[in-house]
Amino acid sequence: MSKLWGGRFEQTASEWVDEFGASIHFDAQLVLEDIEGSIAHVTMLGDQHILTADESEQIIGGLNTLAEKAQAGELSFSVFHEDIHMNLESLLREEIGPVAGKMHTARSRNDQVATDMHLYLKRRVGETIEGIEALQTALYTHAANNVETIMPGYTHLQRAQPVSLAHHLLAYFWMLDRDKERFNDSLKRIDMSPLGAGALAGTTFPIDRHRSAELLGFSRVYPNSLDAVSDRDFILEYLSNASLLMMHLSRFCEELILWSSEEFKFITISDVFSTGSSMMPQKKNPDMAELVRGKSGRVIGNLMGLLTIMKGLPLAYNKDLQEDKEGMFDTVKTLQGSLSIMTGMIQDMTFHADTMKQATERDFSNATELADYLTAKGLPFREAHEVTGTLVRYCIEQRLYLSELPLETYQTHSTLIGTDVYEALSPVTAVKRRNSYGGTGFDAVRTQLTEAATKLHQPTS
C-alpha cells in the first residue's frame, strides 16, 4: 500500500518511523470535526462548480456514512495513514471509490487540521463556561445561606479580621466570573476559519472561503493564508485561560484541605469526595481536593509546552505543530473533570458555623475594631494603632483576649474607652458594620449576592 502523498518518494519508512511520526493515536478525537469540515469544503466546491453536483453528493453521502460509523464506534484507524485526515480519506475511498480523492481539491492538511481545532475548541469553550457556571451556582447557594455566618479572615495565613462566610465564598465566585469572561472573550479568536488557506499560499481554484466558513458557523475568515495555517494563538489563549482557572481552583482546594483538617474543623467534605488510608483506619483524606490542586500543574505545564514549541517556529506550517494537540486534549479533559468534581464537592459540603464563630472569639482579629473605635472617638488612627498594639501585647502577657480586659485596664491606656467598647469588639458587630461597597458587612454581602445573581442569569455572547 502506498501513502496518499507518496508519489515523490522511492523508499518507504520503517514501521517504527511511521509510529513516531503518526498522530492518529490522539487526533482521532477530531474525527467528527474533520468530517464536518470536509462536508463544508466539498459543499463549497460543489457550489463553485469545482466539483460536479454528482461528485459533491457522492462525497458528502460517504462522509455522512463515516460520521454515523464514528458515532457508533465502528471506525478503525491505521498508523500507516498517519493522521485523522488521511485515515478518513482512505476510509472514504473504501466507501465510495476513487471519487473520494477529489475531496482534497483546493485544500491542504495544514488548513484542514487548523479548522478541526477551531471547531473543537469552539465547542469545548462553551462546555467550560457551562462548568464554571455550575460551580458558581453551588458557591452562590452556600453564600446565600451563610450571609451572617462568621469566620476568621486571614492574611499571611494568620487570623486578621472576622468576615462573613458568604463574603469568602463570593470571592471565588468573582474569580470564576473573570475566568468565564476570559473564555467567552477568547471565542472571538477561536471563531475564525482557516479553511481554504491551503498549505500556506491559498489556491488557484475559485473557492469561496466565506461560504465554507458560513457552513461551519464561523463568523470570520483569516485574511492571511500564512497566518491561518501557522496560528496557534487561539489554543495558547485557551491554555492560558485554563491555567488561570485551574490556579483559582487550586487556591480554593488548598483552603478546603486546611478547613477540613482537625486543626480547623470548619467544614466536612462528603465521603463521596474523600478516601481512607490502607493503614490508618481513622483517616479521611480530602483526596479529590488534593487531586484538583495537583492537576493545576499539568494544565500550566501544557501551556508552557506549547509556548516553548511555538517560540522558534518560522512561517508557515512545521511538523512541530503536531505537538499542539495532546496538551490541548489533556487540558480539556482535566478542566471538565476538575469543574465537575469541585461542583459536586461544594454542593455536598457541610459548613460548621459554630466552630467558625468560636474561632473568631479566641483571637485578636478584633484588634482593628478597637483601633477604629478609638479613631471614631477622635484619636488619630496612628495613635489608636499604637494604643491597640500595646493592649494586645498586655493581653498576650496576661493570657487574656481583648474582650476579657476590665474597663479599668482599658481606661489606663485611653480615657476615650467606655463600656460601649465591648459591643464594638464583638465579631458579629465587627463584620456587620463593614458595609463599604465590596465589604464583608451583611448588607454589603447581600448587595454582592444581588449582583452575583444577575451575573448567573446573563446569557453568554
Side-chain angles (χ1 to χ4, degrees):
M1 192 191 313
S2 62
K3 300 279 190 182
L4 295 179
W5 46 259
R8 177 252 187 272
F9 290 80
E10 293 181 3
Q11 294 177 297
T12 57
S14 301
E15 285 186 19
W16 71 268
V17 176
D18 279 342
E19 183 77 25
F20 183 79
S23 61
I24 189 60
H25 303 299
F26 48 86
D27 68 13
Q29 295 183 59
L30 296 171
V31 59
L32 294 179
E33 284 79 11
D34 201 71
I35 292 171
E36 182 181 0
S38 293
I39 289 173
H41 182 67
V42 171
T43 300
M44 179 275 294
L45 292 178
D47 291 346
Q48 295 298 108
H49 305 294
I50 298 168
L51 296 183
T52 67
D54 182 58
E55 289 169 336
S56 179
E57 287 174 10
Q58 282 187 68
I59 295 171
I60 291 171
L63 287 168
N64 282 324
T65 299
L66 291 182
E68 291 171 4
K69 289 183 177 181
Q71 290 170 325
E74 296 173 358
L75 292 184
S76 296
F77 303 122
S78 167
V79 168
F80 179 81
H81 292 302
E82 302 175 26
D83 55 38
I84 189 59
H85 324 298
M86 294 293 94
N87 268 276
L88 283 173
E89 186 171 330
S90 178
L91 290 167
L92 184 63
R93 186 183 294 267
E94 293 175 13
E95 286 286 338
I96 64 173
V99 70
K102 296 195 172 188
M103 174 177 67
H104 210 56
T105 304
R107 184 178 68 172
S108 164
R109 282 185 293 178
N110 295 358
D111 61 332
Q112 189 177 357
V113 68
T115 301
D116 290 356
M117 290 188 292
H118 276 272
L119 288 170
Y120 175 85
L121 270 190
K122 188 176 177 180
R123 294 186 177 112
R124 300 295 92 79
V125 165
E127 293 168 2
T128 299
I129 289 172
E130 289 175 4
I132 292 172
E133 288 179 342
L135 179 52
Q136 283 183 297
T137 300
L139 288 168
Y140 176 89
T141 300
H142 278 302
N145 293 328
N146 286 283
V147 172
E148 299 189 13
T149 300
I150 307 298
M151 67 173 293
Y154 297 83
T155 64
H156 308 277
L157 204 55
Q158 305 295 314
R159 291 184 189 175
Q161 292 177 280
V163 297
S164 159
L165 172 58
H167 190 58
H168 196 115
L169 295 176
L170 286 171
Y172 286 101
F173 178 97
W174 295 114
M175 286 184 213
L176 292 168
D177 209 62
R178 293 193 297 275
D179 290 325
K180 188 168 66 175
E181 288 176 356
R182 277 186 283 267
F183 278 111
N184 194 52
D185 188 67
S186 74
L187 287 170
K188 297 174 188 174
R189 270 75 65 188
I190 296 171
D191 194 20
M192 296 177 68
S193 175
L195 190 56
L200 76 161
T203 178
T204 58
F205 290 94
I207 63 170
D208 184 348
R209 291 187 61 206
H210 291 88
R211 172 60 176 152
S212 57
E214 177 187 15
L215 290 167
L216 291 170
F218 288 121
S219 62
R220 292 190 292 162
V221 173
Y222 277 89
N224 183 291
S225 60
L226 284 165
D227 184 38
V229 298
S230 62
D231 173 39
R232 294 300 183 269
D233 292 0
F234 67 103
I235 301 178
L236 284 166
E237 187 172 5
Y238 174 81
L239 295 176
S240 176
N241 293 340
S243 296
L244 281 168
L245 172 56
M246 287 301 296
M247 177 269 291
H248 289 151
L249 297 186
S250 181
R251 291 183 70 182
F252 194 17
C253 283
E254 172 69 8
E255 295 200 313
L256 298 180
I257 292 162
L258 288 170
W259 292 356
S260 65
S261 69
E262 285 294 312
E263 285 70 24
F264 280 77
K265 296 183 180 178
F266 286 178
I267 62 171
T268 296
I269 296 175
S270 167
D271 289 355
V272 175
F273 300 97
S274 306
T275 64
S277 165
S278 62
M279 183 179 187
M280 297 166 282
Q282 83 283 6
K283 292 294 296 298
K284 180 179 178 181
N285 301 325
D287 276 14
M288 295 305 105
E290 291 173 356
L291 273 174
V292 172
R293 184 179 60 181
K295 285 178 182 294
S296 64
R298 69 190 295 156
V299 171
I300 294 167
N302 289 334
L303 170 62
M304 293 300 105
L306 186 54
L307 281 170
T308 304
I309 289 165
M310 295 298 299
K311 73 174 182 63
L313 294 188
L315 293 176
Y317 185 85
N318 297 271
K319 188 68 168 178
D320 313 51
L321 291 175
Q322 182 169 293
E323 295 297 309
D324 61 1
K325 298 172 194 62
E326 288 182 275
M328 178 182 72
F329 294 145
D330 180 70
T331 293
V332 167
K333 181 180 178 182
T334 301
L335 232 57
Q336 289 173 334
S338 297
L339 286 168
S340 295
I341 286 290
M342 288 294 292
T343 300
M345 188 162 53
I346 298 302
Q347 286 172 337
D348 291 353
M349 192 172 294
T350 302
F351 292 90
H352 303 305
D354 290 344
T355 305
M356 290 181 176
K357 187 172 184 294
Q358 287 169 14
T360 67
E361 295 168 347
R362 309 299 292 173
D363 61 20
F364 292 100
S365 61
N366 55 356
T368 306
E369 307 314 308
L370 179 56
D372 286 352
Y373 169 89
L374 288 168
T375 302
K377 296 276 187 174
L379 195 66
F381 178 78
R382 193 49 58 202
E383 293 181 33
H385 189 285
E386 178 71 20
V387 169
T388 302
T390 301
L391 283 164
V392 168
R393 185 173 68 247
Y394 176 80
C395 285
I396 293 171
E397 291 169 353
Q398 300 299 315
R399 298 186 179 182
L400 297 170
Y401 294 104
L402 289 171
S403 59
E404 297 171 331
L405 277 182
L407 183 60
E408 307 84 68
T409 303
Y410 272 119
Q411 291 181 335
T412 61
H413 288 78
S414 175
T415 57
L416 294 174
I417 299 175
T419 56
D420 58 343
V421 71
Y422 297 104
E423 175 62 22
L425 292 173
S426 162
V428 174
T429 302
V431 176
K432 186 177 181 179
R433 293 174 61 237
R434 282 183 151 68
N435 279 315
S436 56
Y437 180 78
T440 192
F442 301 151
D443 290 341
V445 170
R446 290 188 178 98
T447 298
Q448 270 193 79
L449 283 166
T450 299
E451 294 181 18
T454 301
K455 283 283 187 179
L456 279 176
H457 293 102
Q458 280 180 352
T460 53
S461 59

